[in-house]
Amino acid sequence: MSTPTQTTGSGVVPYRLSVRQFETMIDAGVFPETAHVELLGGRLVDKMTKNDPHDFAVDSFGDSLRRVLPGGWIVREEKSLRLGAYWRPEPDIVVVRGPRTLYRNRTPRAADVALLIEVADSSYAKDRGLKWRTYAAAGILVYAIVHLAARRVEVYRNPSGRGPLARYQEIEIYAEGTEVPIVIDGVKIGRLAVDDLLP
């Protein structure tokens, strides 16, 4: 059952939706097909409006990963991930343990994920703030942000902590002209040129 969150300054008490309630609403057709929302901490959040550079980066990174991934792993683009009772984000790209049939009737969880990627333009504050902490708290081992405005890829590893104290303890920045090492399940499987991932 869902519980209310803290009272706001206006005295209004927001209601937190659970993932189960959110999925029931989706199944019931509550949201129009044009709505792009995700559940973050029990709150419905609009996903950013995608533009051509964002779409290019998602497609390019996804295609590049498929070329280097070993058997037993699959790439999912802009599909939901279930992280606890109140979190159902829709990351731009995730690499999850296969086969694909595992997810015929269930949403992947954190334990299924080897690599999670967000492509950030106007969404950078959210991707490096709320989502960064959430993914760390969930134990996502490797989180990468393709920072379009800065023309770089940020890779975060070694998650620790819970709630607002959650964080990644390691960060590596890969600028244009460099290559990003791709590590899956603790094994380096290849390198991708940053120039090939950016629009």
Side-chain angles (χ1 to χ4, degrees):
M1 183 173 173
S2 186
T3 57
T5 58
Q6 298 176 337
T7 303
T8 64
S10 65
V12 174
V13 180
Y15 185 83
R16 290 178 73 193
L17 288 175
S18 68
V19 171
R20 182 172 297 178
Q21 290 169 319
F22 181 49
E23 291 174 342
T24 299
M25 293 168 72
I26 293 171
D27 292 342
V30 170
F31 305 106
E33 288 185 16
T34 55
H36 292 95
V37 296
E38 52 189 345
L39 188 70
L40 303 180
R43 296 179 179 174
L44 296 178
V45 177
D46 273 323
K47 286 182 63 66
M48 82 169 193
T49 301
K50 300 175 180 115
N51 55 27
D52 291 336
H54 178 277
D55 289 345
F56 177 91
V58 171
D59 289 344
S60 181
F61 215 140
D63 290 346
S64 297
L65 284 169
R66 288 183 181 92
R67 286 193 289 270
V68 300
L69 275 181
W73 296 93
I74 60 173
V75 176
R76 290 169 53 99
E77 295 175 18
E78 299 174 331
K79 292 180 174 63
S80 296
L81 183 64
R82 186 169 184 161
L83 303 177
Y86 298 104
W87 296 88
R88 192 178 186 267
E90 192 176 285
D92 289 317
I93 303 168
V94 289
V95 174
V96 295
R97 197 176 304 277
R100 195 171 302 279
T101 52
L102 281 176
Y103 312 110
R104 180 178 285 132
N105 296 307
R106 78 168 178 90
T107 305
R109 277 38 172 203
D112 302 310
V113 178
L115 170 63
L116 188 151
I117 301 156
E118 295 284 9
V119 175
D121 193 348
S122 60
S123 66
Y124 183 75
K126 179 173 66 175
D127 293 332
R128 181 55 181 83
L130 177 64
K131 285 191 172 183
W132 184 84
R133 287 190 302 276
T134 299
Y135 296 149
I140 301 295
L141 297 178
V142 183
Y143 172 41
I145 299 176
V146 181
H147 191 178
L148 297 180
R151 309 290 296 170
R152 69 189 192 190
V153 178
E154 305 171 4
V155 179
Y156 300 92
R157 294 187 178 88
N158 198 5
S160 67
R162 291 286 177 199
L165 298 178
R167 60 190 294 270
Y168 283 94
Q169 298 183 73
E170 298 175 21
I171 176 175
E172 293 175 330
I173 305 293
Y174 299 92
E176 291 177 282
T178 65
E179 294 182 326
V180 182
I182 303 301
V183 177
I184 300 295
D185 208 19
V187 178
K188 187 185 292 185
I189 61 165
R191 303 179 73 88
L192 303 181
V194 172
D195 292 11
D196 294 339
L197 308 176
L198 295 171

